[in-house]
Every structure is written in structure tokens, then in C-alpha cells.
Amino acid sequence: MIRDSNADGNDSILIEYYDMDDINPDSLRQYRTEFRLENSTHVWNQVDDKTFLRNLGGYIEDRQTGREGYI
């Protein structure tokens, strides 16, 4: 809730020091299962988890620092 309290929004701000180890694997697996059921022929069903999140726009690389993380 604190993250969402910024009046300017936080949808494109990198959350520092978070990486794939901070993703709950069960939650991601459940989401991907639902995605796959709704989009059975989508090309993203063939990619790894990190690429999947990157394609959704939830995992980025900061172009200035090269640091990867979540937004």
C-alpha cells in the first residue's frame, strides 16, 4: 500500500535491489497457468519466467546503471 501511495504513480519506477529471487514462484506459476489457459497459442508461453515478466513490463533494466529489477 505504501508503494501505491505516491500521487505521481509508481508504475515505471524501478524497485531497487529486487530480482527474480524476490518473486514468489508459486504465484508466478499460477499466473502463468491462467495466462496459458486464456492464451494457449501465445508466444510468451514458450519463454522463461524472467523473459515473461520482462515482456509484461514488470521486469526492466535501468539503462543508466544496467541494474535489473521490478517496477
Side-chain angles (χ1 to χ4, degrees):
M1 286 190 244
I2 292 172
R3 178 155 170 76
D4 293 332
S5 67
N6 182 347
D8 296 328
N10 292 306
D11 289 343
S12 62
I13 299 172
L14 179 70
I15 303 173
E16 295 193 50
Y17 310 112
Y18 282 74
D19 60 19
M20 286 301 291
D21 292 332
D22 296 296
I23 292 291
N24 182 296
D26 292 330
S27 294
L28 180 56
R29 185 171 35 259
Q30 288 174 349
Y31 182 84
R32 292 202 67 174
T33 298
E34 290 295 321
F35 183 90
R36 195 173 297 110
L37 289 172
E38 293 295 321
N39 307 282
S40 61
T41 60
H42 201 287
V43 296
W44 292 356
N45 291 328
Q46 307 305 314
V47 300
D48 61 71
D49 289 341
K50 188 174 181 179
T51 303
F52 181 78
L53 291 172
R54 183 171 283 148
N55 289 343
L56 286 174
Y59 195 89
I60 64 169
E61 179 178 320
D62 184 309
R63 292 181 183 171
Q64 292 179 353
T65 66
R67 177 186 273 137
E68 294 181 316
Y70 297 99
I71 56 171

